[in-house]
Amino acid sequence: MNRSHLPGIVAMAAVVVASNILVQFLFGQWLTWGAFTYPIAFLITDVMNRVYGAGPARRVVFVGFVVGVVCSLIGTQIMGEFGPLVTLRIALGSGLAFLTAQLLDVSIFAALRSGKWWRAPLASTLVGSSVDTVIFFTIAFSGALTWIEPANDVSWAGEMLPLLGAGPMAPLWVSLALADWLVKLSLALLALVPFRMIVTHLTAKPA
């Protein structure tokens, strides 16, 4: 890791910290503010991958993972209205989702990097975001995994409600996951613009 990688490291750490804070604040009925900052982590990973390669991108991912673990440990010590801000299931789901999805993103990007400029960041982010959503919400809120943390009552997440308030009946956590996933997909498309601009700037040869 050299000095040129430092901006990526700092950016990833900042996004992880900000997302861990903003996830405590609701945005509408199905989302938190953290849903809008967390996807930036995929943009950072992809920029690092394009400019510096898969190795540095993976190292930035590991930095983000470590920062996320620290944030989770701090969250378990902060008591909210219904108990610790971060439960074991949320910490486990968050860590596994981040590490798995980000490393998958790096691998897919590396496999597609020789194609059209937009293919690698778009495909890697779409797949990574989807995997991230499935892993996190399933581990954190699925009733089938209550054995992970029996003392943590997540029955509220299993309440049957119309999907996103208008679709077929589904557990509440499925609506939360779907809303989060849709935000990630939308931001994956929008992120192509800053991705192109940042990569062009970082790879431009000095006059």
Side-chain angles (χ1 to χ4, degrees):
M1 188 73 70
N2 59 50
R3 188 174 299 178
S4 62
H5 303 158
L6 187 59
I9 294 173
V10 173
M12 180 65 82
V15 166
V16 171
V17 171
S19 298
N20 274 272
I21 294 173
L22 293 174
V23 75
Q24 308 298 328
F25 302 96
L26 294 175
F27 178 86
Q29 187 175 358
W30 313 107
L31 296 166
T32 69
W33 282 101
F36 299 96
T37 56
Y38 177 74
I40 299 174
F42 290 96
L43 171 62
I44 296 168
T45 301
D46 290 345
V47 168
M48 290 297 297
N49 205 336
R50 173 60 74 190
V51 178
Y52 302 109
R58 289 191 183 94
R59 288 191 281 273
V60 168
V61 166
F62 284 120
V63 168
F65 174 73
V66 171
V67 172
V69 170
V70 172
C71 288
S72 293
L73 290 175
I74 294 173
T76 61
Q77 303 305 309
I78 301 176
M79 299 301 294
E81 183 179 355
F82 303 104
L85 292 181
V86 178
T87 64
L88 172 62
R89 289 185 64 173
I90 288 177
L92 183 61
S94 178
L96 286 177
F98 179 88
L99 193 59
T100 303
Q102 291 290 330
L103 291 179
L104 182 60
D105 179 287
V106 173
S107 297
I108 293 174
F109 191 107
L112 299 176
R113 67 182 306 118
S114 61
K116 294 183 179 180
W117 72 267
W118 52 267
R119 186 176 301 166
L122 183 59
S124 62
T125 300
L126 290 179
V127 175
S129 295
S130 300
V131 169
D132 181 277
T133 301
V134 171
I135 292 178
F136 173 72
F137 282 93
T138 301
I139 293 177
F141 302 118
S142 173
L145 298 179
T146 54
W147 55 269
I148 294 177
E149 191 179 17
N152 177 22
D153 181 13
V154 294
S155 58
W156 59 270
E159 182 182 359
M160 298 299 291
L161 297 168
L163 188 65
L164 293 181
M169 299 299 288
L172 170 60
W173 72 269
V174 175
S175 287
L176 300 177
L178 179 58
D180 182 81
W181 181 66
L182 291 174
V183 169
K184 286 190 176 87
L185 296 191
S186 299
L187 292 181
L189 292 171
L190 294 176
L192 290 175
V193 175
F195 172 84
R196 183 67 165 175
M197 294 174 63
I198 295 170
V199 168
T200 299
H201 173 72
L202 293 177
T203 57
K205 294 181 179 179

